[in-house]
Amino acid sequence: MEYRKLGKTDLNVSRLSYGASPLGSVFRDISENDGIKTVHTAIDMGINLIDVSPYYGLTKAETVLGKALKGIPRDKYILSTKAGRYGSDFPDFDFSERRIRKSLDESLSRLGVNEVDILFLHDIEFGNLNQILEESLPCLHDLKKEGKVRYVGVTGYPLKVFTETIKQAEIDCILTYCRYALYDSSLFTVIPSLEKKGVGIINASPTGMGLLTNRGAPDWHPGNQQLLNACQKAVEICQERGVDITEIALQYAIDHPAIASTLVGTANPVNIVKNIEWAEKPINQALVKELRTLFEGIPVTWPSGYPENQD
Ligand code: NAD
């Protein structure tokens, strides 16, 4: 496993990392034992960054992850969780200082740790950016001083939220998702400004939240029908060639030197082994080129959050 420095932090994160949202049964009902085994396998095979949120499975993912981490030495993993998002609709977001503090204390208790390495504000496009800058981020910096959090960052879908945030505030890292994947690599447009400020980049969802898997996207996937159809076509092309679409999707998403780590989610111990092995193998560039043509000229993004926060 290769390790990369995350921005200006002292965190050396594995190039492939573990996203724990599936532990909250967000893609399918999972077996808790399998989920726990998946976490142990990931750590045993060299993954050291684990990401979660109270939102995933409405606290279930943090609870299962807490069970999995019990007894594992704290220096074996780098842990990130989030605050601010507690459901799917606008009223389920709360970026107030009071809620962030309560949320972090609850997360620490579920996870069974005294501090997290990174605390992210979760999907800030659903918040008011003025509040994020004037109340939420200062609160995160206070939590850093208080020793409950080592580094701070924001997550979101529209790329604009990152450029706006780094223009006006100090953050250590960002977590972006679905913007550096086979069907949409627009993250590259904001990489130079993030790098210039020394902001670490964590990329998530190499399969586009299930789009680029043989099982396909879950019902709640926000992608439009044209995108879903093109991804289905990509799956079929790979099946004809005897290649697993997830192998290509994963190898593409992790193949950018500016991205410190890419989070992949699974609650299947067999799949985490495959993912780690695939990450070490060279990518089939000819197949990537062919698959990427399927997404030319179709809308590959979707709205997320308030209109003023869209790209
Ligand atoms: P992903 O692209 O990692 O896809 C997960 C899906 O792919 C699941 O259905 C899983 O079963 C399947 N999968 C994984 N490996 C597979 C394999 N080898 N074969 C077949 N199927 C496989 O999407 P994700 O889980 O949404 O993203 C990864 C993590 O990134 C999340 O768990 C979360 O921690 C983080 N994330 C954060 C945000 C945010 O902060 N806003 C958004 C998205 C993701």
Side-chain angles (χ1 to χ4, degrees):
M1 180 68 71
E2 182 189 333
Y3 298 85
R4 291 180 179 172
K5 194 167 167 314
L6 180 65
K8 289 195 269 198
T9 74
D10 67 352
L11 303 175
N12 271 313
V13 290
S14 47
R15 185 182 178 209
L16 189 69
S17 46
Y18 180 70
S21 69
L23 299 184
S25 291
V26 302
F27 291 96
R28 62 177 174 94
D29 269 339
I30 64 139
S31 134
E32 193 171 299
N33 281 342
D34 280 355
I36 290 172
K37 199 168 165 211
T38 306
V39 175
H40 293 168
T41 307
I43 294 174
D44 287 348
M45 292 184 73
I47 284 182
N48 70 356
L49 172 63
I50 302 177
D51 174 69
V52 71
S53 164
Y55 167 54
Y56 302 146
L58 306 179
T59 71
K60 183 181 169 192
E62 282 191 339
T63 302
V64 176
L65 182 60
K67 289 183 191 173
L69 295 177
K70 208 169 173 197
I72 299 180
R74 188 61 186 86
D75 60 358
K76 287 272 180 221
Y77 57 89
I78 293 166
L79 186 57
S80 63
T81 192
K82 314 191 184 87
R85 178 169 198 163
Y86 309 100
S88 306
D89 300 322
F90 286 96
D92 302 320
F93 289 79
D94 185 346
F95 292 101
S96 66
E97 170 166 10
R98 186 193 56 80
R99 188 71 177 91
I100 291 170
R101 286 183 171 277
K102 182 168 178 285
S103 180
L104 176 63
D105 284 342
E106 289 166 357
S107 292
L108 294 175
S109 153
R110 281 188 289 267
L111 292 164
V113 295
N114 297 324
E115 64 162 19
V116 286
D117 299 284
I118 309 170
L119 183 65
F120 288 108
L121 296 174
H122 198 168
D123 293 344
I124 58 170
E125 68 270 22
F126 288 88
N128 174 314
L129 281 195
N130 287 333
Q131 184 190 26
I132 300 287
L133 294 166
E134 285 161 22
E135 179 177 351
S136 327
L137 281 172
C139 167
L140 260 54
H141 285 290
D142 286 345
L143 289 166
K144 225 177 172 180
K145 287 182 209 135
E146 292 163 31
K148 287 184 170 176
V149 168
R150 294 190 62 212
Y151 296 104
V152 304
V154 298
T155 86
Y157 179 73
L159 299 173
K160 184 180 164 188
V161 298
F162 302 124
T163 45
E164 288 300 314
T165 304
I166 62 166
K167 242 189 255 167
Q168 301 176 62
E170 287 294 315
I171 54 171
D172 301 303
C173 50
I174 60 131
L175 193 165
T176 169
Y177 70 101
C178 292
R179 303 307 293 265
Y180 200 83
L182 262 181
Y183 59 84
D184 175 15
S185 55
S186 47
L187 180 69
F188 78 88
T189 59
V190 298
I191 285 178
S193 50
L194 292 164
E195 277 194 305
K196 202 168 159 203
K197 287 236 167 181
V199 176
I201 303 173
I202 298 174
N203 181 31
S205 309
T207 79
M209 301 191 295
L211 281 175
L212 300 166
T213 63
N214 289 321
R215 190 170 63 224
D219 300 343
W220 49 260
H221 200 287
N224 65 74
Q225 199 55 49
Q226 273 176 288
L227 176 62
L228 264 58
N229 293 346
C231 287
Q232 185 50 40
K233 182 78 193 148
V235 169
E236 286 162 17
I237 291 174
C238 286
Q239 280 170 348
E240 281 161 19
R241 311 282 166 83
V243 176
D244 193 317
I245 180 75
T246 305
E247 172 173 1
I248 289 283
L250 186 99
Q251 290 168 342
Y252 180 83
I254 66 172
D255 197 26
H256 194 297
I259 295 172
S261 188
T262 299
L263 290 158
V264 64
T266 175
N268 180 335
V270 175
N271 282 347
I272 196 70
V273 174
K274 281 190 198 169
N275 293 343
I276 294 167
E277 288 175 355
W278 286 335
E280 304 292 324
K281 286 172 55 184
I283 190 165
N284 179 339
Q285 293 292 2
L287 185 55
V288 165
K289 205 170 163 200
E290 183 182 345
L291 296 177
R292 277 179 56 80
T293 61
L294 296 171
F295 306 107
E296 283 169 9
I298 65 163
V300 291
T301 61
W302 49 84
S304 176
Y306 285 111
E308 65 270 26
N309 295 333
Q310 304 307 300
D311 289 330

